[in-house]
Amino acid sequence: MSSSSHAYVPLKKEIKTMGDVAKWQKSQAFKEYLAFVETLSASVLGKKITDDIQQTENCSKLIEILDVLSNWIDAIPPVDQPQRFGNKAYRTWFDKLTTNSEEILKGMLDEKDWPSIIELQGYFNDGFGNSTRIDYGTGHEMNFAAFMCCLFKLRYLTEVDYEAAVLRVFKRYLTLMRKLQTVYMMEPAGSHGVWGLDDFQFLPFYWGSSQLKGGAIKPNALTDPAIAKNTSQDFMFMGCVAYINEVKSGPFAEHSNVLWGISSVPEWSKVNSGLMKMYKAEVLLKLPVIQHFSFGTMLSINPAEV
């Protein structure tokens, strides 16, 4: 996609009814986003986070940006306030993000791609939570993934970056989001509670299950806190489980019912395909989630070309 000759547009919300969800399901954006998520899953098959993988300069720039956003949290401590959840200091952090995001993206991209910022900025800004509700969930996570998808469409990232996009960039994003959630006591957005995989994320479980395919660790190991902790540096899925074990108390089957169910599936390949079905049903085709997603020219609501 050449930025110099392409007419980018401000992002627009298009999904307001269940009928619009059907339109989204047939759209170019749905087809391309889904293909992107599945391609990244296949790219990390059997790979560990600690494996020596190629990390291009552009991937490193993205990680540096996430490092900067993390440093801002240190500079904007939580404020004293009566309620436990939703610390208002997050709004200060988020204002800094939205005020600076255009310059951040300009610093990252070649000048010829600057016209694309009108679309990229929307996905980037929406990838870190909602400042009104001080919450974060799978819809925000989807925006960050859409931001990465657009960077591939721009050829800022290319095929050689598939593995690093998951195991380096998204891994850094995941760490940043956990810090934001913890420091500012962010609420889960539309959480399923124990009926979801996790209060906040979905993609690290899907991509993480691909990492575990064909390996020595079986799904029944995920309910063992020691195994989860000891393998958390190598496998994204186990890192998520280890994090849940840190922040939640009580029986695993009660606080993480869906994950407990997954532990009885015999192979990770079945877990991986099952999680994709769940992602479509619980995130991509759920009106309360997808009504907040926006569309432009890179991810278009127009019908997909067959």
Side-chain angles (χ1 to χ4, degrees):
M1 182 173 278
S2 167
S3 293
S4 52
S5 59
H6 184 85
Y8 294 94
V9 298
L11 296 186
K12 188 179 168 195
K13 289 184 169 55
E14 301 273 7
I15 302 170
K16 298 176 177 68
T17 65
M18 282 309 295
D20 294 333
V21 174
K23 182 180 171 187
W24 145 242
Q25 199 173 359
K26 296 188 181 98
S27 71
Q28 174 251 337
F30 184 86
K31 181 182 174 184
E32 293 191 349
Y33 178 78
L34 201 58
F36 167 72
V37 170
E38 290 178 327
T39 297
L40 289 196
S41 176
S43 77
V44 295
L45 176 64
K47 302 267 170 51
K48 292 180 181 175
I49 295 165
T50 48
D51 284 350
D52 187 17
I53 59 169
Q54 184 172 352
Q55 184 177 310
T56 61
E57 186 186 345
N58 284 353
C59 271
S60 296
K61 282 184 192 174
L62 280 169
I63 292 163
E64 282 165 19
I65 287 167
L66 296 170
D67 288 341
V68 168
L69 301 188
S70 180
N71 291 339
W72 289 356
I73 302 172
D74 302 331
I76 304 167
V79 295
D80 283 333
Q81 62 180 46
Q83 77 263 33
R84 183 182 161 208
F85 284 103
N87 194 282
K88 293 185 179 72
Y90 170 76
R91 291 183 179 142
T92 308
W93 182 91
F94 191 86
D95 285 346
K96 188 164 184 172
L97 171 81
T98 52
T99 304
N100 289 281
S101 58
E102 185 179 350
E103 284 307 309
I104 286 170
L105 295 175
K106 276 186 175 176
M108 183 183 101
L109 298 167
D110 288 338
E111 195 169 342
K112 68 176 174 57
D113 289 324
W114 285 3
S116 70
I117 289 173
I118 194 169
E119 295 187 26
L120 284 174
Q121 193 179 7
Y123 297 124
F124 184 75
N125 289 350
D126 283 346
F128 302 94
N130 180 282
S131 66
T132 305
R133 298 184 301 272
I134 314 182
D135 68 4
Y136 172 84
T138 50
H140 303 110
E141 175 191 66
M142 182 187 173
N143 271 280
F144 187 79
F147 168 68
M148 288 204 302
C149 179
C150 290
L151 292 178
F152 277 98
K153 294 199 76 176
L154 282 170
R155 307 294 293 166
Y156 176 84
L157 299 176
T158 65
E159 291 77 5
V160 300
D161 296 303
Y162 285 155
E163 293 169 19
V166 177
L167 303 180
R168 298 291 181 268
V169 179
F170 191 81
K171 173 73 172 59
R172 183 65 187 92
Y173 166 75
L174 194 56
T175 309
L176 170 64
M177 288 319 307
R178 285 176 184 155
K179 186 174 177 182
L180 280 169
Q181 289 152 25
T182 309
V183 172
Y184 299 129
M185 299 302 290
M186 295 177 79
E187 296 264 25
S191 171
H192 291 290
V194 296
W195 306 113
L197 280 167
D198 161 310
D199 289 343
F200 297 101
Q201 310 286 158
F202 195 105
L203 288 173
F205 292 98
Y206 174 60
W207 288 335
S209 63
S210 184
Q211 283 183 276
L212 289 157
K213 273 193 204 177
I217 302 167
K218 296 298 177 193
N220 62 5
L222 70 86
T223 56
D224 184 325
I227 294 176
K229 188 175 182 182
N230 292 338
T231 58
S232 62
Q233 297 305 309
D234 286 328
F235 299 107
M236 203 176 270
F237 195 111
M238 301 312 257
C240 289
V241 173
Y243 181 69
I244 289 169
N245 288 334
E246 272 179 41
V247 298
K248 297 203 169 183
S249 56
F252 191 84
E254 287 181 19
H255 66 62
S256 299
N257 190 265
V258 174
L259 286 171
W260 184 72
I262 284 172
S263 71
S264 65
V265 178
E267 296 296 337
W268 286 109
S269 54
K270 275 213 164 78
V271 174
N272 186 252
S273 58
L275 286 175
M276 176 40 74
K277 285 178 190 153
M278 188 179 171
Y279 190 54
K280 285 181 190 170
E282 298 297 330
V283 179
L284 300 185
L285 299 176
K286 268 278 191 295
L287 180 61
V289 177
I290 210 66
Q291 68 185 352
H292 301 292
F293 193 71
S294 301
F295 300 86
T297 62
M298 285 192 276
L299 289 171
S300 166
I301 193 70
N302 292 336
E305 294 171 11
V306 180

